[in-house]
Amino acid sequence: MESDYGEVLDVLGRQLTACAAGTGQLALVTGGLAAGKTHLAHAFAAHAAATGALCLTAAGSAAEREVPGGVADQLLCGPRVPRETSERVTRLLSTVTPETEAPVLRTLGAELLTLARQRPVVVLVDDAHLSDALSARLLAHLRRRSASAPVMLVLTRWDWEQPATDRVLTDLTRQPHTHLRLAPLTGAEVTGVLAAATTPEYAREHAPAVHRATAGNPLLVHALAEDHRALGPGLPPPPHGLPHSGPAHAQAALSCLTRWDGALLTTAQGLAVLDTAATAPLLAEVTGLPPPPSAGRSAPSPPPASPRARACATPRCTPPSAPP
């Protein structure tokens, strides 16, 4: 079930209250690409810190996915961690081997649980699906040891990743957890974003096209709102139901397509060439990518009715197409 931004923050807030009372918590926040997960993570981290919790944050990265202990280093060697603790962690991570990994994980977990004796600890990992293997095993180890400790784990991940290949999800979802999926912006919310950038009258006229073309993706909606603000309030109604767009939207769409591996951008380029003739087998032939399996990940949502509307579509639905 999808929840809006405010609802997810409310649920996380209640989990934090339970954590402070001594019950460990695990929250998995998922959503489409550029759906607002990182913004929500920062907002919750600020809230948790304001309540007096020790908030340890990290972000997974495709570039560092093969660096052992990269996420663990971010969590336990950051500025909020006592220096003596971070020094011990640094030494441990520099000497870990396959033979010593088990005791190292136990020691790292013990270090964090020691911090939780002083005040609640929130461990927040953004893009957790990009965590290195050692850190993923540390998170799973910590969850198993913190059921009765004031420790809350909050992990965000893109829901494109297949569960079978997600190191973090595979281990952690065996434990009791709360799964929160961020919903895209509603039509009313898109109207509000556009009204804040232009005028209420302008927003009512243009918001339906923006919402239809972006499927409510927050990054693309805000980018189009910026383009509309820059283009001025005198624009006529959008032609053929397509929203007016400019450089902010172009940059946002490119940012979406380059956040993941090269296959996503290649897929978008293939769809741009094939347009309405695209099928999975034909797309695989044109791009050289393997066709999707018949089972597993569900098919993307149908594209907007107009081929040109794909230029504004969220990557979760359809990547941009070539200009006409």
Side-chain angles (χ1 to χ4, degrees):
M1 180 178 178
E2 293 182 326
S3 303
D4 66 31
Y5 189 96
E7 291 171 337
V8 172
L9 278 179
D10 286 343
V11 173
L12 292 176
R14 291 195 292 272
Q15 286 190 274
L16 180 60
T17 300
C19 167
T23 302
Q25 302 289 316
L26 168 60
L28 181 66
V29 181
T30 64
L33 189 62
K37 299 181 296 298
T38 297
H39 189 277
L40 182 138
H42 285 292
F44 179 68
H47 169 73
T51 67
L54 174 61
C55 195
L56 308 178
T57 61
S61 167
E64 298 183 4
R65 198 173 190 179
E66 302 307 320
V67 177
V71 166
D73 180 79
Q74 292 179 58
L75 291 171
L76 289 166
C77 298
R80 299 183 184 93
V81 177
R83 187 174 65 180
E84 57 273 17
T85 299
S86 63
E87 289 175 348
R88 289 195 296 269
V89 169
T90 298
R91 288 194 296 270
L92 276 171
L93 291 176
S94 66
T95 60
V96 66
T97 65
E99 293 74 23
T100 63
E101 180 180 301
V104 165
L105 289 179
R106 288 194 295 270
T107 303
L108 292 175
E111 291 281 4
L112 201 146
L113 290 173
T114 298
L115 296 175
R117 293 174 185 166
Q118 304 167 29
R119 52 176 168 157
V121 172
V122 173
V123 176
L124 196 158
V125 182
D126 193 24
D127 286 337
H129 54 284
L130 297 178
S131 296
D132 60 279
L134 177 63
S135 297
R137 288 192 285 272
L138 172 62
L139 293 171
H141 171 87
L142 181 62
R143 176 55 185 153
R144 290 192 294 269
R145 300 297 188 276
S146 62
S148 300
V151 175
M152 179 174 179
L153 274 67
V154 181
L155 312 176
T156 75
R157 67 185 289 274
W158 185 24
D159 57 11
W160 183 282
E161 181 86 353
Q162 295 188 61
T165 61
D166 190 326
R167 298 158 169 167
V168 177
L169 186 67
T170 300
D171 284 340
L172 281 172
T173 53
R174 296 172 184 157
Q175 311 297 322
H177 67 283
T178 299
H179 185 184
L180 302 164
R181 192 180 190 285
L182 272 176
L185 299 179
T186 64
E189 289 169 330
V190 171
T191 301
V193 171
L194 201 56
T198 56
T199 67
E201 295 77 15
Y202 183 95
R204 282 193 294 271
E205 186 175 23
H206 292 262
V210 171
H211 184 244
R212 184 167 53 250
T214 63
N217 180 281
L219 179 65
L220 299 180
V221 169
H222 283 275
L224 281 174
E226 173 59 25
D227 283 336
H228 280 248
R229 184 197 63 76
L231 291 169
L235 289 175
H240 311 297
L242 301 178
H244 300 289
S245 64
H249 170 255
Q251 183 59 46
L254 182 61
S255 172
C256 286
L257 291 172
T258 55
R259 286 189 183 195
W260 199 238
D261 60 26
L264 182 59
L265 182 57
T266 301
T267 300
Q269 292 166 334
L271 288 172
V273 171
L274 296 171
D275 200 43
T276 56
T279 63
L282 186 56
L283 182 62
E285 182 179 349
V286 168
T287 61
L289 296 172
S294 56
R297 185 185 308 159
S298 60
S301 303
S306 166
R308 286 190 61 208
R310 297 181 184 185
C312 300
T314 168
R316 194 185 63 176
C317 297
T318 26
S321 68

